[in-house]
Amino acid sequence: MTMSHRMKLRSFESVLKNYKAVFLDSFGVIKNAHGIIPGVIDSVNTLKEMGKEVIVLTNDSSKSPALLAQNFRRLGMDMVNEENIISSGMMALAFLKNKIKKGTIVYVGTKQSSFYVEETGRNFISIRDFNLKDIKDVSALVFLDDEGYDWQMHLNKTINILRMKSIPVVVANTDNTYPVSSTEVNIATGAIARMIEKISKKKFIYFGKPDSQMFMFAYERIVNKKNLKRNEILMVGDTLRTDIMGGNKFGLGTALVLSGNTSENQMRTYIKSTGIIPNYICPSIAMDHY
Amino acid sequence: MTMSHRMKLRSFESVLKNYKAVFLDSFGVIKNAHGIIPGVIDSVNTLKEMGKEVIVLTNDSSKSPALLAQNFRRLGMDMVNEENIISSGMMALAFLKNKIKKGTIVYVGTKQSSFYVEETGRNFISIRDFNLKDIKDVSALVFLDDEGYDWQMHLNKTINILRMKSIPVVVANTDNTYPVSSTEVNIATGAIARMIEKISKKKFIYFGKPDSQMFMFAYERIVNKKNLKRNEILMVGDTLRTDIMGGNKFGLGTALVLSGNTSENQMRTYIKSTGIIPNYICPSIAMDHY
Amino acid sequence: MTMSHRMKLRSFESVLKNYKAVFLDSFGVIKNAHGIIPGVIDSVNTLKEMGKEVIVLTNDSSKSPALLAQNFRRLGMDMVNEENIISSGMMALAFLKNKIKKGTIVYVGTKQSSFYVEETGRNFISIRDFNLKDIKDVSALVFLDDEGYDWQMHLNKTINILRMKSIPVVVANTDNTYPVSSTEVNIATGAIARMIEKISKKKFIYFGKPDSQMFMFAYERIVNKKNLKRNEILMVGDTLRTDIMGGNKFGLGTALVLSGNTSENQMRTYIKSTGIIPNYICPSIAMDHY
Amino acid sequence: MTMSHRMKLRSFESVLKNYKAVFLDSFGVIKNAHGIIPGVIDSVNTLKEMGKEVIVLTNDSSKSPALLAQNFRRLGMDMVNEENIISSGMMALAFLKNKIKKGTIVYVGTKQSSFYVEETGRNFISIRDFNLKDIKDVSALVFLDDEGYDWQMHLNKTINILRMKSIPVVVANTDNTYPVSSTEVNIATGAIARMIEKISKKKFIYFGKPDSQMFMFAYERIVNKKNLKRNEILMVGDTLRTDIMGGNKFGLGTALVLSGNTSENQMRTYIKSTGIIPNYICPSIAMDHY
């Protein structure tokens, strides 16, 4: 796992032979702002034909797995269904369901993202609609999306909730930014939550790659079907800090693809400066790219 | 300067005798959300009668010193004029004037706060009005206020400016929050800027207490009139991390007042946990309070 | 899980009824600097008689589980054997075994701690004995203990290894300090590693509570014997940031005990300020304490 | 001050004409591990002949200015005397003298570095010799050097002092590392102090570039002789984060030299990634280098 021999690009096809299952990040690996990345549909079909399990692992808590799958289908990719998608929102949902037994959960995000609090069976309310006078009812707060509320008005409200009451705060997406075009990014939920955490001096509970919990969740799902060892699974992602760091730590094989967040130039500098070293580097998951 | 003997409250009057000048924080010392703090007008009048210089030192870059003075007058306090108010915005202005010789300065804040870029003589534009297509013209960016723009839309624009061009970024207010009522706070410019700094991985240039530059600026103003030593000046503030830390470091006497950010309970815990130790603790600057 | 009703102390006995297994932190729960904490031996015997599984979960990578068990026996506690002890060092060992296939692993720690690199089957060498001329052989570095080397000489050597070569760095103990008497602490491996990480600008891989991986490891061990749900397991610890945070996040019940790191006074302030909220607070695990 | 036109190297001679005084960093600008950097003696002589004031500004608190000057003389550079050397230790000394009126100051460093506490006129003692039983006498603690004590034994003692008593803690050198050969560095006082600060959760008081206080101290010294404006002074340094950041913020002209910490390759990446932009970049201060 030293770096020297890994800095050369390999075709995705050539790295597959040692693995019986593949975990794919979504944004930057399967799709980008323009739709499904060229060659990906054929590639996932081939993976299926080869008998390899395919699971999508995404730091996305803005939509339910069902809606994420529906989006894939609309873009022409119908072989990844709801059961094969694991979102960071699902970790937050599991935590909230298990640990919050009463009261109202305040969520910061869109109506669509509220899926992850609705499924807990608890009362829930958007930060937008919540009134500070009802502070006594609040039992938890969860960051789900960067959309669906007015940042100034409702982050100020969030800070005051946390000053008034000591409650568990869950962050369902650890990312700092997400791409919105080939040149521009938007600030993501993780960065917003870390600002609020720092101001409030609380300790928030973060879910999403590189945290082990998501990998474990995906691993358990696969182990129930096939009895695989961790090193028989390949994690494929476009981000060193989340996909590769998390995959390495969990004991999976890891492949960095250059079809998203990380360009070929940046890759060399960033691997060297951080010491986060993937097992392989591939241009994308398209089979015939090289 | 050990802590034990300092934890008891003293009247403001009793701590004045060793000092020939007084630096006053504004918010939490002179005024709060309800107006001028009771007893303060009499107290400042008495200071003047005693022949002590009074300078207001504020981490406020939302208004010009002239407007800040006008606000004081409107609240009935007419003995603090523009010349005796030093705002963190003035440090930012001095830096920009000195170091940015051409191009356009983008400011993040209200129309009123734009005073601090207008005075540089450079071109300037609000983040609200700026178009990313004009990125080649931008020579600096400055955070002035938490109002005057849409946080989501325009902080996303800010991030993309910093991704596209390497420019000096100035933060004219280092505070994390400011009080808006007796129980609620709002997120301040410092916290917003630190989020953007962390995401963009740049190094921003911060002005405002506890940084020495503001104390030096006030000190130079006073030294021109009277030849005072630093330990003949008393810094009075309601915040340990900015007013007291900065005053101590600069070599001034320091008095914490309990009329703002810091309550009597919090004070003991916070002094002990941080080791930021004021020379004196007073209920407020009202003369006859104790 | 809101705070109010949880701030009162409960006897350990009274909180057990909903749980079929108990995870115990070691230092501050089972033992302290003076030996086994009073009442603990009887308590663990009672747990066993009740048919509850007992697992020890410790952020200790200074000794093998066999040696940790031997230490317990020497102190008179013979019912916790090697198979029931899970140390953070075991996570590091699993990672290194899985991901480092060749080269030499440099370890920072004592001879005893080298168990966790020896078991990988790779070459290994102490930072003390390593010569920078052999940098080409190094494939990973692991922090195991704060003892066994000269901090100045060998941490300087560590920094230079990381400047010369980009390799995975593993931290097998995330703690900042550990108690050495009732009033004094020592700096622990986690704090040292974070200093080196910050200077070197790398991203280290941390194992140990509150990280989910250790909880998962313990959980898998228990699930193989009995088919338990997560909320049928109680994590008992003396530290909010590691034991309680990690247990809550993993979905376990959590009990803070006041027999170690956290005193009754500190507990109220710290729970309130951080928002890390245990399900229960008990004086210790002694059964008849209350 | 935008970046594009600044990325080309200029001769030091060519950038001098707009400046009446020059502030020089010591390590990496005047000297390195091998002695005085080639061409520097002639260059400083020329500066003097041109009538430009020369002041040395160094984050070095391991020796008194007198000893620093003596070292320069021993290396053949006799035109920089004690009066023209300003060390970060002098800021710490001024603070301690002004603010600590009684008790014992504990210093962390060598016997030579104790100059900066001895000059305060207070009692002082090395961390090496201090006994925790005398905690009641301690009134301040100051980090002066990374040498002169056993890191493990005496940093553990330092942590326990700070747990037992709330006192001001001063850090007289903010650097993370310093070069000891062309390929190796050592950990510096700043990094050690930040580790202790983080563990102890206190707020330490840091002196040294980029903090404005040192620039102000040097500026005041020069203003007393000649009435210079800030932008008539050029700060020359080999480190962007300290020399250039601090000089820019204080309003000086800034020149990065490539004779020390920063190589030509690193320079482009680091300026771009941080946004810390010098006015000029020169190979070194040797006059005829280009």
Side-chain angles (χ1 to χ4, degrees), chain A residues 1-3 5-6 95 98-102 136-140 165-169 200-207 211-213 216 219-220 230-231 241 245 247-254 270-277 279, chain C residues 1-3 5-6 95 98-102 136-140 165-169 200-207 211-213 216 219-220 230-231 241 245 247-254 270-277 279:
Chain A
M1 201 178 162
T2 59
M3 206 176 55
H5 72 291
R6 301 196 188 286
F95 172 85
N98 189 337
K99 297 294 285 187
I100 309 300
K101 297 301 189 189
K102 54 185 183 180
K136 68 175 188 325
D137 302 333
V138 179
S139 55
K165 195 163 185 182
S166 210
I167 49 170
V169 179
S200 69
K201 301 194 176 74
K202 305 289 178 186
K203 293 277 174 202
F204 293 179
I205 303 170
Y206 290 84
F207 293 100
D211 189 74
S212 309
Q213 216 143 4
M216 176 177 24
Y219 180 60
E220 284 175 356
R230 291 185 186 189
N231 59 13
R241 194 181 65 82
M245 178 67 156
N248 281 346
K249 183 171 172 183
F250 194 72
L252 311 182
T254 51
Y270 198 61
I271 290 176
K272 206 166 168 185
S273 71
T274 60
I276 305 172
I277 307 168
N279 292 92
Chain C
M1 200 177 163
T2 59
M3 205 176 55
H5 71 290
R6 301 196 188 286
F95 172 84
N98 188 338
K99 297 294 286 185
I100 309 300
K101 296 301 188 190
K102 55 186 183 179
K136 69 176 185 324
D137 302 334
V138 180
S139 56
K165 195 163 186 182
S166 209
I167 49 171
V169 180
S200 70
K201 301 195 176 74
K202 306 288 177 189
K203 293 276 173 201
F204 293 179
I205 303 170
Y206 290 84
F207 293 101
D211 188 75
S212 309
Q213 216 142 7
M216 177 177 25
Y219 180 60
E220 283 175 357
R230 293 184 186 190
N231 60 13
R241 194 181 64 83
M245 178 67 155
N248 280 348
K249 183 172 171 183
F250 194 72
L252 310 181
T254 52
Y270 197 62
I271 291 177
K272 206 165 167 185
S273 72
T274 61
I276 305 173
I277 307 168
N279 292 94

Side-chain angles (χ1 to χ4, degrees), chain C residues 37-269:
Chain C
I37 292 171
V40 164
I41 292 180
D42 285 352
S43 181
V44 176
N45 275 327
T46 310
L47 287 172
K48 295 270 188 179
E49 285 163 17
M50 288 169 155
K52 299 190 196 287
E53 288 289 320
V54 175
I55 301 263
V56 174
L57 268 197
T58 175
N59 277 2
D60 188 340
S61 51
S62 71
K63 288 180 203 68
S64 67
L67 269 182
L68 291 168
Q70 192 179 306
N71 274 0
F72 279 146
R73 276 196 299 276
R74 218 183 44 221
L75 294 166
M77 199 169 106
D78 54 8
M79 62 292 196
V80 176
N81 55 36
E82 186 181 346
E83 283 72 38
N84 295 325
I85 299 178
I86 290 169
S87 74
S88 53
M90 292 163 69
M91 306 299 111
L93 165 55
F95 172 84
L96 293 168
K97 200 167 183 175
N98 188 338
K99 297 294 286 185
I100 309 300
K101 296 301 188 190
K102 55 186 183 179
T104 296
I105 302 173
V106 178
Y107 74 91
V108 180
T110 58
K111 184 86 194 69
Q112 270 189 348
S113 72
S114 73
F115 166 82
Y116 293 110
V117 284
E118 188 168 8
E119 287 290 302
T120 62
R122 303 293 160 268
N123 293 330
F124 63 96
I125 188 168
S126 163
I127 185 72
R128 179 182 274 285
D129 300 325
F130 178 72
N131 190 318
L132 279 176
K133 285 175 191 155
D134 299 325
I135 186 75
K136 69 176 185 324
D137 302 334
V138 180
S139 56
L141 188 138
V142 55
F143 287 90
L144 290 170
D145 201 1
D146 60 298
E147 306 262 350
Y149 57 99
D150 179 273
W151 286 17
Q152 178 170 24
M153 190 182 310
H154 299 123
L155 293 178
N156 279 333
K157 200 194 281 180
T158 303
I159 279 288
N160 286 303
I161 291 176
L162 300 183
R163 282 167 55 90
M164 289 175 190
K165 195 163 186 182
S166 209
I167 49 171
V169 180
V170 169
V171 184
N173 173 340
T174 56
D175 293 355
N176 277 328
T177 58
Y178 59 97
V180 289
S181 76
S182 59
T183 55
E184 291 176 41
V185 301
N186 271 1
I187 299 169
T189 304
I192 295 168
R194 273 184 280 269
M195 174 179 72
I196 302 297
E197 185 183 30
K198 198 161 176 195
I199 299 174
S200 70
K201 301 195 176 74
K202 306 288 177 189
K203 293 276 173 201
F204 293 179
I205 303 170
Y206 290 84
F207 293 101
K209 296 169 285 179
D211 188 75
S212 309
Q213 216 142 7
M214 245 174 100
F215 291 92
M216 177 177 25
F217 202 95
Y219 180 60
E220 283 175 357
R221 185 161 294 188
I222 245 175
V223 156
N224 288 346
K225 291 201 229 170
K226 306 187 172 186
N227 208 0
L228 298 185
K229 294 201 187 110
R230 293 184 186 190
N231 60 13
E232 294 175 318
I233 302 169
L234 181 69
M235 173 71 215
V236 184
D238 67 327
T239 309
L240 285 164
R241 194 181 64 83
T242 53
D243 304 312
I244 306 306
M245 178 67 155
N248 280 348
K249 183 172 171 183
F250 194 72
L252 310 181
T254 52
L256 178 73
V257 289
L258 305 178
S259 50
N261 261 333
T262 311
S263 69
E264 190 167 346
N265 281 345
Q266 294 170 317
M267 169 266 283
R268 289 174 208 281
T269 313

